[in-house]
Amino acid sequence: MTNVKIVYASVTGNDEDIAYVLEEKFEELGADVEISEIQQTDAADFEDVDICVIATFTYDEGIVPDEALDFYEDMQELDLTGKIYGTCGSGDHYYGDFCRAVDEFAKIFDQVGAIKGAEPVKIELEPEEKDIADLDEFAEELMKKV
Ligand SMILES: Cc1cc2nc3c(=O)[nH]c(=O)nc-3n(C[C@H](O)[C@H](O)[C@H](O)COP(=O)(O)O)c2cc1C
């Protein structure tokens, strides 16, 4: 069975919603899914799964949100060679750099040897119907890469 780990960073709930949309889809596709909040998660958990997913919001200061910084730094010490990864998240076009943290996490996955399984999904605030369809497709693509 394919194992999936979804880690989310969320203050107002949008990325938590995204994570639960993905969990439901991965389960429908037959995966064994674990989901957790980024500050409650050991980055090394990604070493034990087939598919690694991050759902994160973006704040205008810092590379990634403060809440995600320890995890982001710990990830740089991992060896995720051969793992499939996907990044996604919620942002707001009102701010300058839309969903920057989604791309910053992707860079780290690339650096530590993981393989991008799907293009990042970037969502304006909370996930709407169209975004849920994009997230479903994202999960399907990741599953196909394993
Ligand atoms: C002070 C502040 C700064 C923000 N900066 C950015 C930003 O630089 N880029 C972006 O895409 N969104 C930015 N946002 C929007 C949040 O990422 C967005 O509201 C997101 O949906 C929050 O996710 P959450 O509900 O999971 O916490 C900012 C929001 C606030 C309140």
Side-chain angles (χ1 to χ4, degrees):
M1 190 183 254
T2 302
N3 294 300
V4 182
K5 176 82 184 166
I6 303 169
V7 179
Y8 66 88
S10 186
V11 170
T12 57
N14 295 333
D15 288 275
E16 187 173 4
D17 289 351
I18 289 169
Y20 281 99
V21 167
L22 286 173
E23 182 192 39
E24 196 180 320
K25 184 63 185 179
F26 277 118
E27 280 179 349
E28 190 189 306
L29 295 169
D32 187 5
V33 190
E34 217 182 83
I35 184 166
S36 56
E37 196 277 328
I38 200 157
Q39 292 177 101
Q40 314 290 329
T41 309
D42 185 349
D45 288 357
F46 277 153
E47 292 177 332
D48 302 328
V49 297
D50 306 301
I51 297 177
C52 311
V53 177
I54 295 251
T56 182
F57 67 101
T58 295
Y59 262 18
D60 47 7
E61 284 177 14
I63 297 173
V64 296
D66 284 352
E67 291 82 352
L69 196 55
D70 284 349
F71 191 93
Y72 171 84
E73 286 172 359
D74 290 347
M75 264 187 71
Q76 299 173 35
E77 309 300 319
L78 301 178
D79 178 2
L80 298 181
T81 304
K83 307 283 182 196
I84 305 299
Y85 84 83
T87 61
C88 57
S90 169
D92 186 340
H93 277 105
Y94 170 82
Y95 296 93
D97 220 347
F98 184 62
C99 288
R100 185 186 62 254
V102 172
D103 295 328
E104 295 297 341
F105 271 107
K107 282 185 205 162
I108 300 301
F109 276 120
D110 289 336
Q111 275 174 32
V112 299
I115 300 159
K116 180 158 76 173
E119 286 305 313
V121 176
K122 298 176 179 178
I123 293 169
E124 178 80 9
L125 299 172
E126 72 272 14
E128 312 266 1
E129 211 172 303
K130 152 93 176 65
D131 305 310
I132 291 169
D134 289 345
L135 290 168
D136 285 351
E137 198 180 316
F138 174 81
E140 279 166 7
E141 281 181 35
L142 290 169
M143 287 290 282
K144 274 190 218 148
K145 295 283 170 19
V146 177

